[in-house]
């Protein structure tokens, strides 16, 4: 399937994903203007495999450690008007990118993948992670008057004008920063909601990692997400009478002509 916008950048954070990248490449739709592979100092053949799969891709090395820093490096390098972030382990399906792009073209600022909306799903998530996501999701919805169904999923797409609102730590900083780790998805979701951006949830199916082991730790990373929720709440002054609306769009369907604006509460 070909995407419906000519200026899309796909950012792929990697660390020892040489065996998984061919699967990601097979599912990549036609018409992607730019692919950025951000390598996290891999010790396998990730960089060589990426170059062979995408000869025109831009391959950069992240400046610190962690998924959040890798994404920040990729976002800073991206040239496209639409930026899509996917995982390199095969769990997020690159074949769904057209649905995310279509939602943006239909009027959303930020298209957020959800495993828990209509037609979404996961064969990878454990019971502990599912319960943790449910609890953290509920806290965010209550504190920020939002309607997210899936807080901790890393499949998102957005227009580049969202980058100042997302505000990830600069790749140029030498010391580790809050937002460098797996808390990055929660940080992004909260900030785009607080900024009053138009958000749509796009149904997505998460598959098992194909090769290797995840670096995610359900307990320690869950604690980082919880801290992020309350740190963001304390850091930003907000009005008391607004709400954040999240529209839900099934896989393969764009948005109807609806008011998607999210007003920060």
């Amino acid at each position: 399937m070909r995407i419906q916008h000519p200026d899309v950048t796909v950012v792929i954070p990697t660390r020892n994903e040489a065996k998984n990248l061919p699967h990601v490449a097979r599912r990549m739709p036609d018409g992607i203007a730019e692919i950025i592979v951000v390598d996290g100092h891999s010790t396998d053949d990730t960089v060589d495999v990426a170059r062979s799969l995408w000869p025109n891709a831009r391959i950069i090395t992240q400046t610190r450690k962690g998924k959040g820093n890798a994404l920040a490096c990729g976002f800073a390098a991206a040239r496209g008007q639409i930026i899509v972030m996917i995982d390199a382990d095969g769990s997020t399906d690159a074949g769904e990118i057209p649905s995310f792009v279509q939602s943006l073209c239909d009027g959303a600022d930020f298209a957020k993948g959800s495993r828990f909306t209509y037609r979404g799903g996961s064969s990878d998530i454990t019971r502990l992670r599912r319960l943790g996501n449910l609890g953290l999701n509920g806290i965010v919805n209550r504190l920020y008057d939002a309607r997210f169904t899936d807080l901790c999923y890393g499949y998102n797409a957005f227009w580049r004008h969202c980058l100042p609102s997302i505000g990830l730590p600069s790749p140029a900083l030498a010391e580790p920063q809050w937002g460098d780790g797996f808390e990055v998805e929660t940080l992004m979701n909260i900030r785009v909601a607080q900024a009053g951006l138009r958000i749509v949830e796009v149904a997505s199916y998460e598959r098992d990692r194909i090769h290797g082991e995840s670096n995610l730790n359900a307990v320690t990373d869950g604690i980082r997400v919880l801290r992020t929720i309350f740190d963001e709440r304390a850091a930003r002054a907000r009005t008391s009478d607004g709400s954040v609306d999240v529209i839900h769009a099934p896989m393969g369907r764009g948005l109807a002509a609806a008011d998607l604006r999210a007003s920060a509460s």
Side-chain angles (χ1 to χ4, degrees), residues 6-224:
D7 198 12
V8 174
T9 294
V10 177
V11 175
I12 312 174
T14 63
R15 186 172 183 272
N16 296 331
E17 301 289 2
K19 293 182 179 180
N20 295 322
L21 288 180
H23 173 81
V24 177
R26 282 194 297 271
R27 296 292 297 164
M28 192 70 68
D30 295 332
I32 301 294
E34 179 180 56
I35 294 175
I36 296 179
V37 177
V38 187
D39 185 60
H41 307 280
S42 295
T43 57
D44 65 359
D45 295 329
T46 292
V47 171
D48 290 337
V49 170
R51 285 186 178 132
S52 67
L53 293 168
W54 300 295
N56 296 323
R58 297 170 63 200
I59 300 177
I60 63 177
T61 302
Q62 70 178 97
T63 56
R64 298 187 295 273
K65 293 182 179 180
K67 183 179 182 180
N69 172 247
L71 289 172
C73 292
F75 297 166
R79 297 168 180 159
Q81 289 302 308
I82 289 176
I83 300 172
V84 183
M85 48 187 273
I86 66 172
D87 291 337
D89 59 6
S91 61
T92 53
D93 182 3
E96 295 174 3
I97 289 176
S99 297
F100 285 80
V101 172
Q102 188 62 56
S103 292
L104 297 176
C105 292
D106 285 347
D109 294 308
F110 190 92
K112 184 194 176 328
S114 175
R115 299 161 291 182
F116 305 126
T117 193
Y118 177 59
R119 292 187 181 176
S122 175
S123 62
D124 178 64
I125 193 168
T126 64
R127 185 168 181 231
L128 176 61
R129 285 172 53 208
R130 185 184 295 270
L131 290 173
N133 185 77
L134 181 64
L136 295 167
N137 198 84
I139 294 171
V140 166
N141 285 347
R142 184 172 181 84
L143 288 180
Y144 298 96
D145 197 18
R147 296 177 181 87
F148 290 122
T149 65
D150 194 354
L151 184 68
C152 303
Y153 189 43
Y155 201 163
N156 300 300
F158 52 89
W159 294 99
R160 70 176 302 108
H161 68 72
C162 296
L163 286 172
S165 298
I166 292 171
L168 295 185
S170 170
L173 298 171
E175 297 299 319
Q177 302 292 312
W178 192 257
D180 280 354
F182 281 107
E183 71 277 4
V184 64
E185 288 102 355
T186 298
L187 190 69
M188 292 176 63
N189 293 334
I190 290 174
R191 287 182 175 175
V192 296
Q194 288 188 110
L197 298 175
R198 290 170 292 178
I199 305 166
V200 60
E201 283 192 336
V202 178
S204 178
Y205 192 87
E206 178 190 40
R207 290 168 173 78
D208 294 342
R209 163 184 276 275
I210 300 172
H211 298 284
E213 296 183 1
S214 172
N215 294 313
L216 178 70
N217 184 295
V219 176
T220 59
D221 288 309
I223 293 172
R224 290 178 69 89

Side-chain angles (χ1 to χ4, degrees), residues 209-260:
R209 163 184 276 275
I210 300 172
H211 298 284
E213 296 183 1
S214 172
N215 294 313
L216 178 70
N217 184 295
V219 176
T220 59
D221 288 309
I223 293 172
R224 290 178 69 89
V225 169
L226 189 62
R227 175 183 161 184
T228 298
I229 293 169
F230 289 104
D231 280 358
E232 288 295 299
R233 178 70 175 180
R236 300 194 176 201
R238 313 181 68 211
T239 60
S240 60
D241 57 351
S243 64
V244 176
D245 291 326
V246 181
I247 310 300
H248 308 289
M251 280 189 296
R253 294 176 55 191
L255 291 173
D259 181 7
L260 305 176

